[in-house]
C-alpha cells in the first residue's frame, strides 16, 4: 500500500502542474476517489492515475481500497522539505530587501 520511504524526489513530483492541482484538490477534501478527481482535468482517468502514482511514490499521497474503489488522501509531510528549502531563500530576500531599503534611505538623506 504505502511505502514509508519515498521512491521519488518530492521536487520532481510537484514539478508538474497537474500533480500540483491534484495536491490542491486533495488538500481541500479528506479523501477523493479516482473518478471524482478525474472530472477536474481535461485528461483521462489513466493519465490522472499515473500522476497519482508519481505522487504516491514521492510519499505525497496515500490510498486505500474501499470495495472496488481506490480513494486518495494527501500526505503533506514530504512538503516540509520544500518549505525548509524555500524558507532559506525567503530569509535571503528579506535580508536583502532590508539592505536595499537602508541603502535607498542613505542616498536620500
Amino acid at each position: 500500500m504505502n511505502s514509508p520511504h519515498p521512491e521519488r524526489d518530492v521536487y520532481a513530483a510537484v514539478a508538474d502542474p497537474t500533480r500540483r492541482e491534484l495536491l490542491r484538490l486533495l488538500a481541500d477534501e479528506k479523501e477523493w476517489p479516482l473518478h471524482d478527481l478525474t472530472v477536474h482535468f481535461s485528461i483521462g482517468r489513466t493519465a490522472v492515475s499515473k500522476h497519482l502514482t508519481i505522487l504516491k511514490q514521492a510519499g505525497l499521497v496515500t490510498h486505500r481500497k474501499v470495495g472496488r474503489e481506490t480513494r486518495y488522501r494527501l500526505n503533506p509531510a514530504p512538503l516540509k522539505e520544500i518549505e525548509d528549502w524555500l524558507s532559506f531563500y525567503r530569509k535571503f530576500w528579506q535580508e536583502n530587501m532590508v539592505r536595499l531599503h537602508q541603502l535607498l534611505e542613505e542616498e536620500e538623506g
Side-chain angles (χ1 to χ4, degrees), residues 1-8 26 30-31 52-65 70-76 78:
M1 186 160 136
N2 296 309
S3 171
H5 304 290
E7 301 167 16
R8 280 191 185 258
L26 291 168
K30 187 174 178 183
E31 63 182 19
L52 286 166
T53 297
I54 291 169
L55 292 171
K56 284 189 299 186
Q57 291 171 341
L60 291 163
V61 169
T62 62
H63 67 286
R64 68 183 183 106
K65 284 278 193 184
T70 302
R71 295 183 182 174
Y72 296 90
R73 179 182 292 212
L74 174 67
N75 176 28

Side-chain angles (χ1 to χ4, degrees), residues 67-83:
R68 294 175 51 185
E69 188 175 78
T70 302
R71 295 183 182 174
Y72 296 90
R73 179 182 292 212
L74 174 67
N75 176 28
L79 293 173
K80 178 82 169 84
E81 181 180 344
I82 294 173
E83 180 185 357

Side-chain angles (χ1 to χ4, degrees), residues 91-107:
K91 182 179 176 189
F92 170 82
W93 284 112
Q94 286 171 342
E95 290 172 358
N96 281 302
M97 291 305 289
V98 167
R99 279 193 230 144
L100 177 62
H101 183 72
Q102 290 169 343
L103 181 66
L104 291 172
E105 283 183 349
E106 287 173 11
E107 285 186 9

